[in-house]
Amino acid sequence: MEGKPAVSNATKGAKGPRFHLAMAVSRAAASALKLARRNAGQMPGVIAEKIDPSFLADVDKPARVVFVSGTNGKTTTNNLLCDLLRDNGIEMIDNRAGGNVRNGVESTLIKNATISGRQKLDVAVMELDELSFRTVLPDLVPEVILVTNLYRDSFSRNANPDFIFSVMSENISPATKLILNADDMISCRLAPQNSNRVYYSIARLEDDSSDPQGIVCDLTACPQCGGKLEYDYCHLRHLGHAHCKSCGFTNPEPDYELVALDCDAHTFTVCERCHEGEPTHTYHFGNYSITNLYNLFSTVVVARELGLSAEAIAASLERGINVTALRYTEKTVGGKRLVAVASKGENSTATSVALDTIRKEPGSKAVIVMLADAHKAANPKETEYIGWYYQTDFEYLNDPSIEQIVIQGATNLDLLPRLRMANIDPAKLHMVETPEQAAQAVDPMSVDSVFWAFDIFNGGDVEKSRELIGKKIEEASDVR
């Protein structure tokens, strides 16, 4: 990557005996976990911190550190960014193993370190949980932080966006470059103490709404004065352009603006208003949804700010860098599309967006809903809080293109009252317990496509039922 980092983390920490012992033991633990084919997401960091409580402050850091955070999209965007940079020959460390909290960041640095604690690679791109700003950023000042958005989240995790905003905002260093979504009037206001800011925005699109979308809105009043917000347009939930009728507060002007979208050609065009002459560049995308567009667009902006040329980015996207398979996978069997669309568990916004994406897909559909947390269902000491069902837009399942609805999971009877409130036709509805029963309940030959709306932890159940439905289609095709 071209250019010098805005802030260097390469300074050496205070490495006393406890640090060296922590490094040796945690590295050994990471190696043992690797031999056992475990991902070692957090355990090495847990061990290191038990031995040396100031381990994160003491350990050397890569010269360039990028954090990706936000309520929705951070995992997808982080993975996209890593793929894009690697496609351009940039070696880096990342925390894809699943550690986006303090111990996970420590584990990532441990795996990249020599026995003396020196970092082997100079670039780190890591996802960071929003609440972890208060435990990580005091000891590690990144060069860049990208924040995708702020919405209400799981009741058991991050809950109210105002609280999360305050945790994030007060822990961001003025030395860090912030890359913020100008369309989100919540997160774009983060860290007023920081003037090193880059904004990105999507201009008005053809299918925008005139008001915030869904039964719940996280931004109903001006965040500055509490006055009435008047929306000009919304792309997604409360993301869009608005102004306060009392104090005039509005979205910040973007440095990077997505000015054109061609869904037929699978391209979007970005105007770089921050660069001389305001040049425009066109990029390729894969499967379209407004969430995918935001994730890919923000990835492009970070890559440009890190020094990649627009031409290099465009070439990588043409080569197929796109949304990770975990979040959106599609198979075709006998001419039938079998599509899995993931959402963040216990998150009303992410689930609503997944259901909205499905209903807007062409053709007739069967939808299998797998939202019950499989891990909590398997643990007799844990109970999933179901209040989030009542903030989720299950009304989207009323679309006439959706002819069959199958609900599978341990909480399907808890979900049933919410579906009744959404006026789901009982004749379309099947309640089952297992993925095998979900496959049995679907008649794939009577629809054009089968879709799964699922919690990311339920991917195994999706594949079980998808394989069985694929066999049903093949058998029916043979009979014909």
Side-chain angles (χ1 to χ4, degrees):
M1 290 182 286
E2 298 175 1
K4 295 181 179 179
V7 57
S8 174
N9 288 293
T11 54
K12 297 182 184 296
K15 297 181 177 63
R18 298 188 87 176
F19 171 81
H20 290 293
L21 178 61
M23 179 61 74
V25 176
S26 61
R27 277 172 52 85
S31 298
L33 287 165
K34 185 177 181 180
L35 286 173
R37 298 185 179 180
R38 303 283 295 276
N39 64 27
Q42 296 185 39
M43 186 55 67
V46 172
I47 294 170
E49 197 161 293
K50 285 287 185 182
I51 299 171
D52 177 8
S54 62
F55 181 83
L56 185 57
D58 294 343
V59 69
D60 292 351
K61 286 82 173 180
R64 309 192 77 172
V65 177
V66 178
F67 280 136
V68 178
S69 193
T71 307
N72 292 324
K74 59 180 173 286
T75 301
T76 300
T77 303
N78 182 75
N79 293 348
L80 277 169
L81 181 59
C82 291
D83 290 344
L84 178 61
L85 296 179
R86 286 197 175 99
D87 194 58
N88 283 276
I90 298 165
E91 290 189 272
M92 77 197 76
I93 56 170
D94 62 56
N95 58 348
R96 281 192 181 191
N100 66 358
V101 296
R102 180 180 172 95
N103 292 142
V105 171
E106 290 169 327
S107 293
T108 301
L109 297 176
I110 288 165
K111 287 182 277 188
N112 183 51
T114 65
I115 190 64
S116 66
R118 182 181 61 82
Q119 293 293 302
K120 301 172 190 174
L121 298 176
D122 291 332
V123 180
V125 177
M126 293 182 279
E127 176 184 337
L128 184 64
D129 177 76
E130 300 91 283
L131 279 179
S132 294
F133 275 50
R134 61 187 173 188
T135 59
V136 172
L137 296 190
D139 294 324
L140 196 168
V141 179
E143 177 185 348
V144 173
I145 297 177
L146 165 68
V147 181
T148 57
N149 51 61
L150 283 178
Y151 295 107
R152 69 187 60 208
D153 203 349
S154 164
F155 283 76
S156 60
R157 288 195 296 265
N158 293 355
N160 189 283
D162 293 336
F163 168 63
I164 299 305
F165 177 94
S166 64
V167 170
M168 297 172 71
S169 191
E170 66 190 22
N171 286 289
I172 295 171
S173 167
T176 295
K177 177 181 287 188
L178 284 175
I179 299 180
L180 302 172
N181 186 346
D183 299 337
D184 180 12
M185 294 175 74
I186 300 177
S187 63
C188 76
R189 297 166 42 252
L190 280 165
Q193 71 275 12
N194 183 308
S195 60
N196 190 6
R197 311 166 81 84
V198 174
Y199 293 108
Y200 64 95
S201 171
I202 297 177
R204 188 191 294 265
L205 298 175
E206 186 177 343
D207 58 352
D208 286 343
S209 60
S210 57
D211 293 297
Q213 301 153 13
I215 58 175
V216 173
C217 179
D218 289 309
L219 189 66
T220 56
C222 174
Q224 293 285 82
C225 73
K228 180 177 175 57
L229 277 181
E230 186 172 275
Y231 279 85
D232 303 302
Y233 54 84
C234 281
H235 302 306
L236 172 69
R237 316 306 283 179
H238 69 269
L239 304 189
H241 197 279
H243 58 276
C244 176
K245 300 189 72 173
S246 298
C247 71
F249 177 72
T250 189
N251 306 71
E253 289 295 319
D255 298 286
Y256 294 83
E257 186 174 20
L258 194 155
V259 293
L261 172 68
D262 188 331
C263 289
D264 293 329
H266 285 245
T267 61
F268 64 95
T269 300
V270 175
C271 179
E272 298 185 346
R273 303 202 182 281
C274 55
H275 294 152
E276 185 178 354
E278 299 191 357
T280 60
H281 304 283
T282 298
Y283 304 98
H284 174 80
F285 63 84
N287 296 303
Y288 174 75
S289 71
I290 188 64
T291 53
N292 286 351
L293 188 63
Y294 266 118
N295 294 336
L296 191 53
F297 177 30
S298 62
T299 297
V300 169
V301 172
V302 176
R304 290 289 289 129
E305 288 296 306
L306 290 175
L308 279 188
S309 70
E311 293 74 19
I313 296 169
S316 291
L317 300 186
E318 285 287 347
R319 286 192 290 270
I321 299 298
N322 213 286
V323 176
T324 58
L326 175 64
R327 302 291 172 160
Y328 184 103
T329 61
E330 179 172 341
K331 298 179 180 178
T332 301
V333 179
K336 305 287 184 178
R337 296 175 66 208
L338 308 180
V339 184
V341 182
S343 69
K344 189 178 181 183
E346 299 181 64
N347 182 295
S348 58
T349 295
T351 302
S352 295
V353 169
L355 296 177
D356 190 32
T357 298
I358 290 170
R359 72 168 176 156
K360 290 176 179 177
E361 289 283 330
S364 58
K365 313 171 192 79
V367 179
I368 300 175
V369 179
M370 294 180 169
L371 296 177
D373 189 307
H375 291 284
K376 288 185 177 180
N379 188 339
K381 295 183 179 180
E382 288 197 70
T383 301
E384 182 175 347
Y385 180 71
I386 61 171
W388 71 280
Y389 290 163
Y390 295 86
Q391 298 181 341
T392 303
D393 294 280
F394 288 104
E395 285 77 7
Y396 291 154
L397 291 171
N398 274 322
D399 192 273
S401 70
I402 299 175
E403 299 181 3
Q404 305 169 43
I405 302 169
V406 178
I407 309 295
Q408 183 262 316
T411 59
N412 57 2
L413 292 180
D414 296 309
L415 181 54
L416 184 57
R418 174 67 185 95
L419 299 176
R420 293 286 172 83
M421 290 176 63
N423 293 318
I424 303 298
D425 184 354
K428 295 182 178 181
L429 191 60
H430 303 272
M431 312 295 287
V432 301
E433 294 183 3
T434 69
E436 292 82 5
Q437 291 171 343
Q440 292 169 5
V442 170
D443 177 11
M445 303 312 292
S446 65
V447 292
D448 297 316
S449 307
V450 180
F451 283 83
W452 284 258
F454 72 103
D455 180 307
I456 56 174
F457 293 115
N458 298 339
D461 286 351
V462 171
E463 291 311 310
K464 286 179 186 176
S465 58
R466 181 151 57 176
E467 182 179 351
L468 290 171
I469 289 174
K471 289 179 179 178
K472 287 175 72 172
I473 295 170
E474 290 172 348
E475 290 170 359
S477 299
D478 290 341
V479 171
R480 291 182 179 181

